[in-house]
Amino acid sequence: MRLYLLIAGLCFLFFPEPVSAEPGNVFRLGVIADTFSGVNQNDARIALNVLLEKKLKDDFQQDGAETIVYPDIHAAMQDTQNGKLDLLTLPTMDYIRIKNRIRMIPEMIAGIGPEKEQSYVFLVNNSSNIQSLSQLNYKNLIVEKGVGGKLALKWLDTLLLEQSLPESGFFFREIKQVDKSSRAMLPVFFGQADGCIVRNFAFETMAELNPQVGKKLKVLDRSPVFGSVLMCFRPGIKPGLADSIINFIQKMPDHAEHRQVLLLFQVKKIFRFTPEHLHTLEALLDRYEQLKQTSAKD
């Protein structure tokens, strides 16, 4: 049922109302796999494509749709460069790294949570008496899968390098990835794991639902705020089509059935993009590269 709601909602998300388009075109949607987790990618792609085909033919007079899930941004590079994709959903960290090499224009940013940008918290159990990162050497860590986990680990690697410690892959005995933030926090709560990194809003939500979580878990460190996911259009896409998609997505929180779709992605709102949304993440990546180069010389 959850998968059906997800696919049906995505169909209406991208194609909410009739907009004329030239016949002979196939609308191509690209999705980098890291932007979602907990859903069977192939099942989602097939079901979404079937629904998109009907919606496009009925309301857009286009020949059909093609939904492509790429394992990473490198797999999508050629299709973005030759203009094959009309819309691409990708992690902000990927966009920053390759923005000068792809022909896509960011128009929307989706915070994985209620705001356009999120902070992350490193949590430990209060009873562990852990006061600093250095005490976690050869301990185990839990992070979320997908874009959130990769952002969290990049922030963590930067913290470790700033303290002249090895990066996370060498510093921790094990780094486990899980589908949900609750599956990261609860093992730490029960003393089955040494630490976890989750989005701050997820921690605050769980602590509100269960005050014992807020009492037993301690914030060891907190990241700056980062945007997580961008939606980019192909240059030259029909303005009417692009505007229709943008307007509909921004109105999704006003409709209960559409809010359910957003919640499946842990998203409450999608905002118009401005370059300022990437500034803190760009600064983090620059800092990481500087520290990496310095440590390589030592």
Side-chain angles (χ1 to χ4, degrees):
M1 182 64 179
R2 286 169 62 87
L3 178 58
Y4 172 79
L5 288 173
L6 171 66
I7 300 305
L10 281 175
C11 178
F12 287 103
L13 184 156
F14 290 114
F15 306 102
E17 56 190 44
V19 177
S20 61
E22 292 294 332
N25 290 331
V26 173
F27 189 95
R28 292 182 173 89
L29 164 65
V31 181
I32 305 302
D34 278 345
T35 59
F36 60 87
S37 63
V39 177
N40 183 290
Q41 295 177 13
N42 194 51
D43 288 348
R45 180 188 62 80
I46 293 172
L48 177 58
N49 214 64
V50 169
L51 293 175
L52 290 182
E53 285 277 359
K54 183 178 186 305
K55 190 70 176 175
L56 281 165
K57 289 178 179 178
D58 291 348
D59 295 345
F60 289 84
Q61 297 82 50
Q62 292 191 240
D63 286 349
E66 182 180 5
T67 302
I68 308 169
V69 178
Y70 298 95
D72 54 48
I73 188 59
H74 301 292
M77 284 296 294
Q78 184 174 349
D79 287 348
T80 64
Q81 290 169 343
N82 64 22
K84 180 179 178 180
L85 298 178
D86 296 295
L87 180 62
L88 176 66
T89 301
L90 76 165
T92 50
M93 194 155 58
D94 285 351
Y95 176 78
I96 290 171
R97 287 170 170 164
I98 51 83
K99 63 182 178 181
N100 295 325
R101 292 183 284 145
I102 63 170
R103 298 180 64 245
M104 303 296 285
I105 302 172
E107 291 287 355
M108 291 172 284
I109 185 166
I112 308 299
E115 304 296 337
K116 61 179 75 71
E117 297 166 301
Q118 312 299 318
S119 63
Y120 294 80
V121 288
F122 195 122
L123 302 174
V124 295
N125 193 303
N126 256 320
S127 63
S128 68
N129 294 319
I130 293 174
Q131 303 296 326
S132 67
L133 274 178
S134 60
Q135 293 176 265
L136 286 158
N137 190 21
Y138 209 62
K139 303 290 187 180
N140 54 54
L141 174 70
I142 305 177
V143 299
E144 292 182 70
K145 292 180 180 178
V147 61
K150 289 190 175 181
L151 273 173
L153 288 176
K154 187 60 65 177
W155 165 62
L156 175 60
D157 285 339
T158 305
L159 289 180
L160 290 168
L161 289 172
E162 285 179 333
Q163 298 180 34
S164 299
L165 296 170
E167 291 187 57
S168 57
F170 299 97
F171 184 75
F172 291 92
R173 181 177 72 249
E174 178 188 15
I175 299 177
K176 182 179 180 181
Q177 295 183 325
V178 295
D179 288 331
K180 298 180 180 179
S181 56
S182 60
R183 293 177 181 173
M185 287 183 277
L186 289 177
V188 180
F189 178 84
F190 289 113
Q192 299 165 348
D194 299 301
C196 69
I197 304 178
V198 297
R199 292 177 294 273
N200 183 59
F201 91 92
F203 172 55
E204 290 181 346
T205 300
M206 180 167 276
E208 184 177 344
L209 294 173
N210 183 354
Q212 287 300 313
V213 170
K215 293 177 181 178
K216 199 167 183 179
L217 296 184
K218 178 177 68 175
V219 176
L220 189 66
D221 214 325
R222 187 185 306 271
S223 80
V225 294
F226 305 122
S228 300
V229 176
L230 287 179
M231 301 178 74
C232 303
F233 286 102
R234 169 180 58 81
I237 191 171
K238 287 184 174 295
L241 177 58
D243 290 343
S244 178
I245 294 171
I246 292 170
N247 290 337
F248 177 78
I249 291 175
Q250 291 190 301
K251 293 177 181 177
M252 285 186 70
D254 299 333
H255 304 278
E257 65 274 21
H258 298 151
R259 284 199 300 271
Q260 293 301 313
V261 176
L262 292 178
L263 289 175
L264 291 176
F265 289 97
Q266 301 178 11
V267 170
K268 289 189 177 180
K269 287 187 178 181
I270 299 178
F271 303 84
R272 289 303 297 263
F273 170 79
T274 65
E276 289 75 17
H277 293 147
L278 298 181
H279 284 178
T280 54
L281 181 54
E282 288 172 331
L284 177 79
L285 295 177
D286 287 344
R287 178 63 174 156
Y288 169 80
E289 291 299 333
Q290 292 170 0
L291 292 166
K292 184 87 170 173
Q293 292 176 12
T294 300
S295 65
K297 295 176 182 178
D298 295 340

